[in-house]
């Protein structure tokens, strides 16, 4: 449903806002059909995949993002979170049980996102490999094997995803199972397209509803999608709910390392659009649903921001959502990071662009309506069936239905948002009249 601004009384300072259904229509399914899917933009939220030491020590080698991180990006309107994790940490032995301590941390994060009405992509960030040996102190002796090797079979890969699907299928906010980040140089006897088909079938034995996200081959390059990933269009999902994922960076070697300057790499304002077209046109040609799961720019030259913005406009207008690389509390001075500083009060430069693009064209029901109540310091925003209350000073807020019945009375602390989910109907929140469809 579309958001409608019903009426504004300037003199009386009364604002009526209509909140659309957040589960509005999205693109077609992976095989040409699929389910309704709101197409949000968002960020990768890193930390659980860090360290390159396995299993590693939480807080030293890796760490999980927090609810405060989620709240910051939700406030910016970026409601979709790609959540990278490592196979070695969630399952330390092939075909073994999932590690309960790590599973609990993953679930805590997913639940925090669900409480905030944010979507999560579970991203196995392993590049088509598994570390069969780590000395547990540093990465000097790490030994990796490719999926399809005798030490890491396709069946092993199916096993871990069936167990993960069993654990997460009942959450309401899993946007998709991102089965493998950036596979590359796979074994000739077990090409990525074959592996992906087998794991799709395995997941559907456990979960027939959650979308399955398939990264492209050879580091998932958008620019080289047709060369390396065209065969993925032959994949068949019994539930007709596949999403194809590409990645895109603007530097000369496509790597995202940004070793050179904007000028030295020959970047222009349209570099991102030119590279994305290969993937987006493929999606259109074969009636597939897609995601640009990684893209990012340095913070050291404002021209990068223009290139980023043009890419986001192109994605928005073509109905392709995306998640920026990257956020998360462990990045430090990484020049692509959009993690805020000074206790979440100072934005990174890239955020001035990202916060302008929150949903794709045709999904305007996902755009947040906001109202500042003059003189009170209270801000009321509405998205879907959820309202957000945020105040510059502590206050009590009452929510009434139009029959005069008190529905909620909540305490709002200074700059600490409160989220309420309402049933369809008309409500008054101070001077703001909310219509929930």
């Amino acid at each position: 449903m579309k958001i409608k601004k019903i009426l504004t009384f300037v003199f009386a300072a009364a604002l009526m806002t209509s909140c659309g259904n957040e589960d509005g229509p999205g693109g077609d399914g992976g095989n040409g059909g699929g389910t309704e899917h709101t197409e949000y933009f968002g960020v990768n939220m890193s930390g659980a995949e860090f360290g390159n030491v396995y299993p590693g020590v939480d807080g030293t080698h890796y760490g999980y993002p927090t609810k405060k991180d989620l709240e910051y990006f939700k406030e910016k309107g970026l409601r979709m979170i790609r959540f990278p994790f490592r196979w070695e940490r969630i399952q330390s032995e092939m075909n073994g049980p999932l590690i309960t301590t790590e599973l609990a941390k993953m679930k805590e994060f997913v639940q925090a996102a669900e409480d905030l009405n944010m979507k999560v992509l579970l991203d196995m960030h392993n590049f088509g490999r598994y570390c069969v040996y780590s000395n547990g102190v540093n990465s000097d002796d790490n030994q990796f094997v490719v999926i399809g090797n005798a030490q890491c079979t396709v069946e092993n890969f199916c096993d871990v995803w069936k167990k993960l699907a069993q654990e997460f299928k009942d959450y309401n906010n899993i946007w998709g199972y991102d089965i493998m980040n950036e596979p590359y140089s796979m074994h000739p006897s077990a090409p990525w397209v074959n592996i992906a088909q087998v794991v799709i079938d395995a997941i559907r034995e456990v979960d027939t509803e959650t979308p399955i996200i398939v990264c492209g081959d050879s580091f998932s390059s958008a620019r080289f999608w047709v060369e390396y990933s065209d065969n993925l269009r032959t994949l068949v999902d019994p539930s007709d709910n596949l999403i194809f994922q590409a990645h895109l960076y603007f530097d000369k070697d496509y790597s995202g390392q940004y070793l050179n300057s904007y000028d030295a790499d020959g970047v222009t304002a349209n570099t991102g659009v030119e590279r994305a077209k290969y993937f987006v046109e493929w999606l259109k040609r074969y009636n597939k649903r897609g995601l640009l799961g990684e893209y990012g720019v340095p913070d050291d030259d404002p021209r990068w921001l223009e290139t980023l913005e043009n890419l986001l406009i192109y994605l928005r207008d073509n109905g392709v959502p995306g998640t920026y690389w990257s956020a998360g509390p462990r990045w430090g001075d990484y020049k692509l990071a959009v993690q805020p500083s000074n206790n979440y009060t100072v934005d990174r430069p890239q955020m001035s662009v990202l916060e302008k693009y929150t949903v794709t064209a045709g999904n305007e029901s996902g755009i947040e309506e906001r109202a500042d109540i003059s003189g009170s310091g209270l801000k009321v925003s509405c998205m879907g069936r959820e309202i957000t209350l945020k105040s510059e000073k502590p206050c009590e807020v009452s929510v009434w239905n139009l029959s005069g019945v008190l529905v909620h009375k909540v305490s709002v602390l200074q700059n600490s948002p409160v989220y309420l989910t309402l049933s369809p109907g008309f409500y008054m929140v101070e001077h703001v009249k909310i219509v929930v469809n």
Side-chain angles (χ1 to χ4, degrees):
M1 300 179 185
K2 299 293 186 182
I3 295 178
K4 301 175 289 184
K5 187 72 67 69
I6 307 296
L7 185 62
T8 303
F9 297 97
V10 177
F11 179 74
L15 175 70
M16 180 182 282
T17 303
S18 171
C19 303
N21 185 341
E22 64 140 359
D23 293 320
D28 289 336
N31 298 325
T35 61
E36 290 190 345
H37 218 61
T38 299
E39 308 293 15
Y40 294 111
F41 285 93
V43 296
N44 287 262
M45 198 163 282
S46 295
E49 85 282 21
F50 272 32
N52 209 19
V53 175
Y54 308 107
V57 177
D58 188 355
T60 300
H61 301 110
Y62 70 104
Y64 286 80
T66 67
K67 185 177 181 180
K68 288 285 288 182
D69 299 318
L70 289 167
E71 288 174 341
Y72 169 83
F73 288 99
K74 177 172 181 174
E75 181 69 16
K76 296 296 185 182
L78 299 168
R79 299 166 66 94
M80 187 157 71
I81 304 300
R82 186 170 182 251
F83 176 41
F85 66 95
R86 289 292 301 199
W87 182 359
E88 297 89 349
R89 292 194 176 118
I90 194 64
Q91 189 185 46
S92 59
E93 296 181 5
M94 293 298 177
N95 292 352
L98 301 183
I99 304 303
T100 55
T101 53
E102 297 303 312
L103 181 62
K105 295 170 193 174
M106 289 180 67
K107 287 186 170 183
E108 181 181 2
F109 179 81
V110 170
Q111 185 62 58
E114 184 175 277
D115 293 343
L116 294 170
N117 201 13
M118 299 176 78
K119 305 299 182 182
V120 175
L121 293 70
L122 296 178
D123 160 35
M124 183 174 284
H125 213 77
N126 274 70
F127 304 90
R129 284 146 174 76
Y130 187 95
C131 184
V132 294
Y133 176 78
S134 173
N135 61 29
V137 177
N138 55 49
S139 60
D140 293 349
D141 303 321
N142 283 1
Q143 297 176 18
F144 292 91
V145 294
V146 177
I147 298 173
N149 183 285
Q151 293 179 274
C152 181
T153 67
V154 177
E155 290 71 25
N156 296 147
F157 187 40
C158 292
D159 174 79
V160 67
W161 266 115
K162 288 175 70 173
K163 289 171 178 172
L164 286 166
Q166 186 66 50
E167 294 290 343
F168 287 98
K169 67 178 183 177
D170 293 328
Y171 285 88
N172 296 319
N173 65 326
I174 300 299
W175 197 84
Y177 300 134
D178 188 350
I179 57 175
M180 180 56 64
N181 177 72
E182 295 189 354
Y184 72 95
S185 298
M186 305 304 289
H187 198 279
S189 65
W192 173 235
V193 63
N194 292 3
I195 295 171
Q197 184 63 68
V198 175
V199 79
I200 288 166
D201 293 339
I203 289 172
R204 292 303 180 219
E205 294 175 16
V206 175
D207 181 351
T208 60
E209 297 184 4
T210 304
I212 295 174
I213 302 168
V214 182
C215 262
D217 206 343
S218 295
F219 297 104
S220 310
S221 169
R223 167 60 184 85
F224 298 105
W225 186 269
V226 175
E227 288 89 336
Y228 297 119
S229 301
D230 181 60
N231 60 358
L232 296 182
R233 62 188 168 92
T234 65
L235 293 173
V236 176
D237 177 10
S239 296
D240 195 19
N241 205 3
L242 295 182
I243 300 170
F244 296 90
Q245 179 180 179
H247 295 170
L248 188 156
Y249 294 96
F250 308 142
D251 46 352
K252 188 174 183 178
D253 65 1
Y254 309 93
S255 70
Q257 297 182 76
Y258 293 98
L259 301 176
N260 304 310
S261 68
Y262 188 93
D263 290 320
D265 271 352
V267 181
T268 72
N270 289 318
T271 293
V273 174
E274 292 164 358
R275 295 181 180 185
K277 282 183 177 179
Y278 294 89
F279 176 58
V280 173
E281 291 302 321
W282 182 90
L283 295 172
K284 292 179 178 180
R285 186 179 309 121
Y286 298 109
N287 194 27
K288 305 297 185 183
R289 196 161 78 227
L291 163 76
L292 198 64
E294 290 185 19
Y295 47 89
V297 295
D299 60 2
D300 54 9
D301 186 328
R303 291 177 295 176
W304 290 116
L305 301 183
E306 182 183 9
T307 305
L308 173 63
E309 182 154 22
N310 286 341
L311 171 67
L312 292 176
I313 292 169
Y314 176 75
L315 294 176
R316 179 200 64 191
D317 292 349
N318 283 278
V320 178
T323 49
Y324 180 92
W325 183 268
S326 181
R330 300 184 66 83
W331 280 118
D333 60 358
Y334 177 49
K335 60 186 178 182
L336 274 64
V338 289
Q339 186 73 9
S341 58
N342 289 3
N343 195 28
Y344 301 92
T345 62
V346 178
D347 295 344
R348 296 294 295 270
Q350 300 93 325
M351 188 54 65
S352 64
V353 174
L354 295 177
E355 65 183 335
K356 293 193 289 185
Y357 305 93
T358 58
V359 296
T360 62
N363 283 278
E364 289 80 3
S365 63
I367 297 176
E368 208 163 23
E369 290 280 7
R370 299 169 181 257
D372 294 354
I373 300 177
S374 178
S376 71
L378 177 65
K379 296 181 179 180
V380 180
S381 60
C382 176
M383 188 172 188
R385 294 182 179 177
E386 180 184 84
I387 62 172
T388 302
L389 309 172
K390 188 173 181 179
S391 182
E392 296 174 2
K393 54 188 177 182
C395 63
E396 296 286 326
V397 178
S398 298
V399 181
W400 306 81
N401 66 23
L402 292 196
S403 298
V405 176
L406 181 65
V407 178
H408 291 283
K409 187 171 184 179
V410 295
S411 296
V412 182
L413 301 179
Q414 182 177 7
N415 295 323
S416 181
V418 172
Y419 305 99
L420 301 175
T421 301
L422 302 177
S423 300
F426 293 80
Y427 301 89
M428 290 297 300
V429 184
E430 301 301 322
H431 298 303
V432 177
K433 192 171 186 179
I434 300 294
V435 185
V436 177
N437 294 318

